[in-house]
């Protein structure tokens, strides 16, 4: 809540946290709400906490027009804008997406692989003022050179001239594997996906078992498959239910090069192991 502490500003949420922000949500908040109208609308695209789901592109255009008519600034949290550009067979480029917004934040370590760093984009006057506020907030590093070099290298490797899979290819590979696992009778009993069909190259995975059983089964699966890990870490209870755990699955160059059959084999072993582990915990 640094914005509240430093700038004395207050935030309100728009729409349902379980669904992507839609035009109707924004229209209700900006035209039908009580009290003062918000001066800025910030939209994350894709929405990470619901498995990478996207606000429809047509809605982005309508939201932009509404914000402009009401003099409300429209800002994009585009930390994963590269991933968003890979959705729908790459039908909307980064420029297509960012063009709807007055300003845009992009990350260079999420998806692109830089050591750290981000960029804020907008009009000349906006960026000049932002530089002043960056220093006021303490963002005055001695040099940005190491970060700039790393970010530019990552951008060239992952976006400008991809050396591995494109973001569209990563999304296609993830959708294919999710479909394969969802169709398997054994795996589908213990594993669910949010959303059911990934829109980008990330998805949230829900395991119908407590954390202890998941971790034990994952270790036993790795042993049985000579090192295949079905997840790197759990993110915690799914919607507060200790009997269900979830994790985030991102498709990259490394796991994107693995044959789909390897995923299916490992998850079938995990499905059997997690049921055994859950029964053991109940004893």
């Amino acid at each position: 809540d640094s914005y509240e502490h430093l700038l004395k500003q207050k935030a309100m949420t728009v729409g349902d946290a379980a669904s992507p922000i839609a035009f109707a949500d924004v229209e209700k908040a900006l035209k039908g709400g009580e009290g003062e109208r918000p001066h800025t609308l910030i939209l994350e695209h894709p929405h990470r906490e619901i498995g990478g789901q996207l606000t429809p592109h047509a809605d982005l255009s309508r939201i932009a027009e509404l914000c402009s008519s009401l003099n409300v600034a429209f800002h994009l949290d585009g930390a994963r804008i590269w991933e968003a550009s890979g959705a729908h067979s790459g039908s909307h480029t980064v420029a297509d997406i960012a063009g709807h917004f007055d300003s845009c934040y992009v990350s260079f370590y999420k998806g692109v692989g830089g050591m750290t760093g981000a960029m804020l984009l907008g009009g000349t006057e906006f960026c000049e003022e932002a530089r002043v506020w960056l220093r006021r907030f303490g963002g005055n590093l001695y040099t940005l050179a190491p970060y700039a070099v790393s970010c530019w290298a990552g951008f060239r490797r992952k976006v400008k001239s991809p050396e591995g899979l494109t973001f569209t290819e990563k999304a296609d590979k993830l959708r294919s594997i999710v479909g394969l696992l969802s169709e398997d009778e054994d795996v589908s009993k213990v594993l669910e996906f949010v959303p059911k069909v990934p829109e980008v190259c990330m998805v949230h995975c829900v395991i119908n078992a407590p954390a202890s059983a998941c971790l034990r089964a994952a270790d036993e699966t790795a042993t049985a498959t000579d090192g295949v890990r079905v997840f790197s870490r759990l993110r915690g209870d799914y919607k507060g239910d200790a009997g269900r755990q979830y994790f985030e699955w991102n498709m990259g160059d490394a796991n994107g090069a693995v044959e789909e059959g390897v995923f299916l084999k490992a998850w079938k072993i995990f499905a059997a192991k997690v049921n055994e582990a859950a029964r053991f915990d109940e004893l």
Side-chain angles (χ1 to χ4, degrees), residues 55 58 80 85 88 121 127 159 220 238-240 271:
T55 294
R80 294 170 179 79
S85 69
H88 309 303
L121 302 97
C127 288
V159 181
E220 292 176 353
Y238 183 66
K239 295 185 177 180

Side-chain angles (χ1 to χ4, degrees), residues 60-89:
L60 293 182
S61 179
R62 297 181 67 195
I63 292 171
E65 292 176 1
L66 177 63
C67 287
S68 177
S69 69
L70 298 175
N71 198 30
V72 174
F74 192 22
H75 175 75
L76 170 64
D77 177 350
R80 294 170 179 79
I81 192 173
W82 322 109
E83 287 86 339
S85 69
H88 309 303
S89 301

Side-chain angles (χ1 to χ4, degrees), residues 181-193 208 271:
L181 298 178
S182 299
E183 292 171 358
D184 186 85
E185 183 178 358
D186 297 324
V187 176
S188 61
K189 290 178 180 178
V190 300
L191 182 66
E192 301 172 19
F193 298 98
N208 297 316

Side-chain angles (χ1 to χ4, degrees), residues 80-87 89-94 97 167-168 200:
R80 294 170 179 79
I81 192 173
W82 322 109
E83 287 86 339
S85 69
S89 301
S91 56
H92 300 296
T93 66
V94 168
I97 298 167
F167 285 103
T168 296
V200 295

Side-chain angles (χ1 to χ4, degrees), residues 211-252:
S212 57
C214 291
L215 295 172
R216 185 181 299 115
D219 287 340
E220 292 176 353
T221 299
T223 300
T225 57
D226 294 327
V228 177
R229 305 289 305 187
V230 291
F231 59 80
S232 57
R233 69 180 181 90
L234 298 174
R235 297 192 73 197
D237 301 343
Y238 183 66
K239 295 185 177 180
D241 184 354
R244 306 178 78 200
Q245 301 297 304
Y246 81 107
F247 66 94
E248 187 173 285
W249 187 2
N250 289 275
M251 186 60 61

Side-chain angles (χ1 to χ4, degrees), residues 75 102-104 120-131:
H75 175 75
D102 298 306
S103 57
C104 173
L120 179 66
L121 302 97
T124 300
E125 184 178 349
F126 170 82
C127 288
E128 288 177 350
E129 188 173 356
R131 288 191 182 95

